[in-house]
Amino acid sequence: VILTSMVKRVDNAIYESFKQMENGTWKAGVVNLGLKENGVDWALDSNNRSMISPEIEKRVNAAKQDILSGKVKVVDYREASRCPL
């Protein structure tokens, strides 16, 4: 059973690119958007709502806040070239 998945917020990436084009600040290149930039999130919708208890939702959102605050460090495999475990 898969309870949830991630959401890649391509809509937000495109919107930001359009805004940069509009104000003349757009530059070609790779841009990584994470939780902080609202580029990714976890999926909670009608397909899994009944499987996610309020306690689990609270814990996932707490983990998300810990990542955003820097309390939990997410290692970018592309930068480290290895898994930290």
Side-chain angles (χ1 to χ4, degrees):
V1 175
I2 297 173
L3 292 180
T4 190
S5 184
M6 69 174 287
V7 177
K8 288 187 179 182
R9 298 298 312 264
V10 177
D11 56 333
N12 289 337
I14 292 170
Y15 177 79
E16 286 304 314
S17 291
F18 283 159
K19 293 297 285 182
Q20 291 169 3
M21 288 292 289
E22 182 178 59
N23 68 27
T25 62
W26 183 86
K27 293 178 185 160
V30 176
V31 177
N32 295 309
L33 304 177
L35 282 174
K36 182 179 177 183
E37 300 82 15
N38 202 22
V40 294
D41 209 340
W42 70 297
L44 180 61
D45 57 27
S46 61
N47 295 307
N48 64 355
R49 175 75 265 178
S50 65
M51 295 182 276
I52 306 293
S53 70
E55 177 59 29
I56 294 295
E57 183 178 358
K58 181 179 175 180
R59 291 177 67 184
V60 169
N61 285 325
K64 180 178 170 180
Q65 288 305 311
D66 286 347
I67 292 168
L68 289 169
S69 73
K71 182 177 178 182
V72 171
K73 172 81 171 121
V74 176
V75 175
D76 185 339
Y77 179 83
R78 296 166 298 180
E79 292 177 9
S81 296
R82 65 181 181 81
C83 181
L85 300 177

